[in-house]
Amino acid sequence: MPFIRWFFAYVDWFVFTLLLIMVAGIFIPLPVTVVTGVGSVSHYAIAVLFFVYGARLKTVEVLGGLKNYRLQLVILTSTFVLYPLLGMLNYQSCGWFLGPSFALGMYYTCLLPSTVQSSIGFTSIAGGNVAGAVTAATISNLVGTFATPLLVLLLLGRVGTVSLTTLRDIAILILLPFVLGQLSGRWTRDWLNAHPVITKTVDKGTIYLVVIAAVSSAKLHGLWDTVEALDFVLIGADALVIVGIMLILTWYGWGKLCALNRADRIAAMMCGSKKSLATGLPMAMIIFPTSTFGAIAVPIMLLHLEQLIMCSVIATQLGRGAGPRQADF
């Protein structure tokens, strides 16, 4: 049949699988032991991901990513200036149809640091500056540990205390494996670069695990049961617009304004357009009352899933090489 041939020829299976995971996770609860196990495995997968990146990248490339101050400033500005401003505008203009609690949740989501594993994974898939993305994502989460609660206090009038757990997790799951990978690079680098399928498998496999853990954990805690279908549609549409605006700004705006090359533009877009579910939910549990946590968590979940799906499409197309207009996305 023509439709079946078209489906198998043109469907992005990575995106299609992410959608299946999301839908299945919303409607099918998993046992507590399975959810806990997937969460634990995803943590180990993140460590493996950063070990592979550390082993594959030359130290001079990592230092180059740190020295690329324009890229780092672009991503930090996107994450902690442009995104909060967009969140403020969205809160003032869209609160009437989202409702005060969900609007507050979306505003809070815009104050979070960037994701780590998916930003770097998609940067790698798209052929961007992976060293710069590793540096930027790590710095964003380190800064976000302090910047997000401060922004919440200043912009939302909420007071809370932030645990040092995030810093500990970053050190254990990201920095340590990356350093160990760097140290082992003299023995493993050439072999990994000669077998790129390993890196791609780790990239996509980690993203799958993160999505499964996020959706199933939300189902386990009853977050999906507190939201009606219309709420999903409205919040999802609002998140789609916000992520779309940031993708456009980080690709076209910074690319033109700062004259970034293609690899840096990819890193800027993949890191500067995302918000971290892993950081956002634990912080929300501390900052916000238990009674409002569900409403705060739902926008984080939906924006996180949508940004993964949107960026997976973009990264796949950029990685394939879409032809002469590729650089203009």
Side-chain angles (χ1 to χ4, degrees):
M1 296 177 64
F3 174 77
I4 295 178
R5 288 197 297 269
W6 173 89
F7 183 83
F8 281 98
Y10 293 102
V11 165
D12 188 323
W13 289 101
F14 186 40
V15 179
F16 184 70
T17 307
L18 287 177
L19 286 172
L20 287 180
I21 291 172
M22 182 178 66
V23 173
I26 290 174
F27 293 102
I28 304 174
L30 296 177
V32 177
T33 53
V34 174
V35 176
T36 303
V38 171
S40 299
V41 172
S42 67
H43 277 68
Y44 289 114
I46 292 170
V48 172
L49 174 70
F50 280 91
F51 176 84
V52 170
Y53 279 128
R56 194 184 66 171
L57 293 172
K58 295 181 179 179
T59 303
V60 65
E61 294 176 339
V62 178
L63 294 177
L66 186 61
K67 292 178 181 177
N68 191 348
Y69 66 91
R70 284 195 303 172
L71 176 61
Q72 305 307 322
L73 287 176
V74 160
I75 294 173
L76 286 175
T77 301
S78 299
T79 303
F80 296 113
V81 178
L82 291 183
Y83 238 126
L85 289 175
L86 181 59
M88 180 186 298
L89 178 62
N90 182 75
Y91 182 73
Q92 295 174 346
S93 60
C94 299
W96 63 273
F97 72 84
L98 289 179
S101 297
F102 290 133
L104 182 64
M106 191 64 75
Y107 196 174
Y108 167 74
T109 304
C110 292
L111 308 182
L112 296 174
S114 177
T115 60
V116 179
Q117 62 271 17
S118 61
S119 294
I120 298 168
F122 286 135
T123 299
S124 176
I125 293 169
N129 183 348
V130 175
V134 169
T135 305
T138 302
I139 291 175
S140 175
N141 274 262
L142 288 170
V143 172
T145 303
F146 307 99
T148 295
L150 181 60
L151 288 170
V152 170
L153 176 63
L154 294 176
L155 299 179
L156 302 184
R158 304 277 177 169
V159 181
T161 57
V162 179
S163 171
L164 295 178
T165 302
T166 303
L167 285 176
R168 183 200 65 190
D169 289 344
I170 288 175
I172 294 175
L173 296 178
I174 297 173
L175 296 181
L176 179 60
F178 187 82
V179 171
L180 292 176
Q182 284 280 287
L183 294 175
S184 70
R186 60 182 298 182
W187 299 287
T188 60
R189 182 174 299 118
D190 291 340
W191 185 81
L192 285 172
N193 287 330
H195 300 83
V197 66
I198 295 176
T199 303
K200 291 181 180 179
T201 300
V202 173
D203 286 341
K204 296 184 178 182
T206 303
I207 293 172
Y208 283 141
L209 286 171
V210 169
V211 173
I212 293 171
V215 178
S216 60
S217 178
K219 180 66 175 178
L220 181 65
H221 290 86
L223 295 180
W224 300 124
D225 299 331
T226 64
V227 187
E228 297 180 359
L230 181 59
D231 293 324
F232 273 112
V233 173
L234 295 177
I235 298 170
D238 190 46
L240 189 69
V241 172
I242 290 175
V243 176
I245 290 174
M246 287 305 302
L247 286 169
I248 292 171
L249 289 177
T250 52
W251 179 260
Y252 289 107
W254 290 125
K256 301 294 184 182
L257 185 62
C258 299
L260 299 178
N261 60 39
R262 181 178 181 274
D264 284 351
R265 288 174 73 185
I266 290 173
M269 177 173 61
M270 293 303 168
C271 295
S273 64
K274 292 191 181 63
K275 291 299 177 180
S276 174
L277 175 76
T279 302
L281 287 181
M283 281 191 178
M285 293 177 68
I286 297 170
I287 295 172
F288 296 93
T290 305
S291 59
T292 62
F293 174 70
I296 299 297
V298 169
I300 303 175
M301 291 287 299
L302 290 181
L303 187 139
H304 181 80
L305 292 171
E306 288 184 13
Q307 70 188 8
L308 289 179
I309 293 169
M310 294 170 71
C311 287
S312 67
V313 174
I314 295 170
T316 301
Q317 292 301 314
L318 290 175
R320 287 174 179 169
R325 293 185 59 82
Q326 174 178 303
D328 291 330
F329 173 47

